[in-house]
Amino acid sequence: MQSFEITPIGTVRNHRTDVQDTDNWGAVRSTITVDERFGEACLQGLEGFSHVEVLFVFDQFPDDGDYREPRPYRGRADLPPVGIFAGRGPRRPNRIGVTSCAIASVDGRELTVVGLDAVSGTPVIDLKPTMAEFRAVDVKQPPWVSDLMSEYFKP
C-alpha cells in the first residue's frame, strides 16, 4: 500500500498535558498557531463560522502497533471489545484525531477554539470549517457509548 507524508500546519497550545486525562474537554480553550508559511491571512473568513473541524495527530500517545484483535474500549473490562475502526481513541494506525470545536476567536495565524480534545504541543494537520451540509443526521450508536462519553465534553 502506498504511504505518504503529512507536514503539520500548526500546533495546539492549552493547559492540558496528560494524555491519560481523557474527560472534561468541554471548557478547554486551545490556541492553534498556524505556521508562518501560510501567511497572516490564512484564517481569513473562518471567523464567519461557529465551528471548525480540527484534524490532528496523537503524537504523544504510545503506539503498540497491533490492531488485529478487538479490545475493550479504553482498555476497560466493563466495555465490549471493538475493532480498531469502531472507536475514536488515539490507538489508531495513522494516529489521526478529528474534533469539531467552537471558534472563540481568529487573530492572524492564531485560532482559539473551545472543546478540542488534544493536549498541548499536539501537531495540527488540517482545519476545515464545519458546515451544516456535511454534518451527519440521525446518528445511531450503542447505549454504552452514550454512557461512556457523558463526561467527555463536560466542562
Side-chain angles (χ1 to χ4, degrees), residues 88-101:
R88 292 184 58 101
R91 192 183 74 81
R92 333 194 47 73
N94 288 311
R95 304 175 77 168
I96 296 172
V98 59
T99 305
S100 185
C101 308

Side-chain angles (χ1 to χ4, degrees), residues 15-25 74 119 152:
H15 71 278
R16 300 283 292 260
T17 57
D18 182 359
V19 296
Q20 301 299 326
D21 185 8
T22 58
D23 285 330
N24 304 104
W25 292 98
R74 287 195 181 177
V119 297
Y152 196 78

Side-chain angles (χ1 to χ4, degrees), residues 19-20 57-68 71 84 89-96:
V19 296
Q20 301 299 326
V57 178
F58 291 111
D59 70 318
Q60 299 176 45
F61 197 88
D63 181 21
D64 66 13
D66 184 7
Y67 307 107
R68 293 170 292 183
R71 294 185 183 182
I84 192 64
R91 192 183 74 81
R92 333 194 47 73
N94 288 311
R95 304 175 77 168
I96 296 172

Side-chain angles (χ1 to χ4, degrees), residues 31-85:
T31 298
I32 298 167
T33 303
V34 177
D35 191 86
E36 62 187 17
R37 73 184 187 271
F38 297 103
E40 291 300 314
C42 63
L43 299 173
Q44 183 176 327
L46 196 56
E47 71 281 352
F49 292 87
S50 64
H51 290 75
V52 62
E53 294 174 31
V54 180
L55 286 82
F56 56 94
V57 178
F58 291 111
D59 70 318
Q60 299 176 45
F61 197 88
D63 181 21
D64 66 13
D66 184 7
Y67 307 107
R68 293 170 292 183
E69 295 298 320
R71 294 185 183 182
Y73 204 78
R74 287 195 181 177
R76 290 180 36 181
D78 62 322
L79 298 176
V82 295
I84 192 64
F85 298 114

